[in-house]
Amino acid sequence: MDDTQLTDVLGVPWDELEPRHQDMARELLNDPGAPLWDKSVQFAVHVMAFQGGYDGALARKLKRRANALLRALAEAGHAESQRELGQALLHGEGITKDAGEAVVWLTRALEQGDARAAFDLGCVYEHHRGAVRRDLDRSREYFRLAEEMGYDPSHG
């Protein structure tokens, strides 16, 4: 896939991306062993939008594109995307903050066995966030569950 095709797929000017993200996108998009080509594209856009050092209009465009693609993956049942969408909703990363909707997506990810989602839910209930009231008992339960599932927050 050449740079013009990659620009079309990612929806952003290829030459405005950091070289490390160009390399990552090329690797993901050209990997014949990727589970689904479109998931690789969406993951690449997501990582670039949330991990990149971009400013201004390009950053906003990347985040909008990433959130749209992330939501599509989450709605299709992809657990990691459900968790990441929940996080984006909690922090308002290129999307309107909505703690209630964040809890829905984090819960869906947890139901699929995503241990980090359990930890994230523990954090949500540990701190009052928007419409989600503080509930320390519930928070401790989610932290316990995350630990039982093998999630160690010190390892990300």
Side-chain angles (χ1 to χ4, degrees), residues 76-127:
H78 186 256
E80 182 179 359
S81 297
Q82 291 170 339
R83 177 178 34 82
E84 291 296 328
L85 180 58
Q87 281 295 322
L89 287 159
L90 280 175
H91 301 290
E93 296 172 354
I95 196 169
T96 302
K97 281 185 181 183
D98 186 334
E101 186 181 359
V103 167
V104 169
W105 288 111
L106 291 170
T107 301
R108 288 181 184 174
L110 173 59
E111 288 169 351
Q112 293 194 69
D114 189 312
R116 183 169 173 188
F119 180 83
D120 292 347
L121 283 163
C123 292
V124 169
Y125 286 104
E126 183 176 39
H127 307 283

Side-chain angles (χ1 to χ4, degrees), residues 9 17-18 22 27 29-30 43 51 62 65 73 78 85 94 99 104-105 109 115 120 136 144 149-150:
V9 167
L17 299 175
E18 294 178 6
Q22 290 175 346
E27 184 179 327
L29 297 173
N30 292 314
F43 183 72
Q51 305 296 325
L62 279 166
R65 174 91 167 134
L73 265 178
H78 186 256
L85 180 58
V104 169
W105 288 111
D120 292 347
L136 294 178
R144 182 195 56 73
M149 295 173 76

Side-chain angles (χ1 to χ4, degrees), residues 25-89:
R26 277 191 190 103
E27 184 179 327
L28 286 168
L29 297 173
N30 292 314
D31 178 7
L36 286 176
W37 181 79
D38 61 333
K39 285 187 179 185
S40 296
V41 172
Q42 294 168 19
F43 183 72
V45 172
H46 172 70
V47 170
M48 284 186 285
F50 294 113
Q51 305 296 325
Y54 301 102
D55 296 316
L58 180 59
R60 287 188 297 278
K61 185 174 186 174
L62 279 166
K63 287 184 179 184
R64 278 193 307 272
R65 174 91 167 134
N67 279 315
L69 295 169
L70 190 60
R71 184 175 290 279
L73 265 178
E75 288 172 352
H78 186 256
E80 182 179 359
S81 297
Q82 291 170 339
R83 177 178 34 82
E84 291 296 328
L85 180 58
Q87 281 295 322
L89 287 159

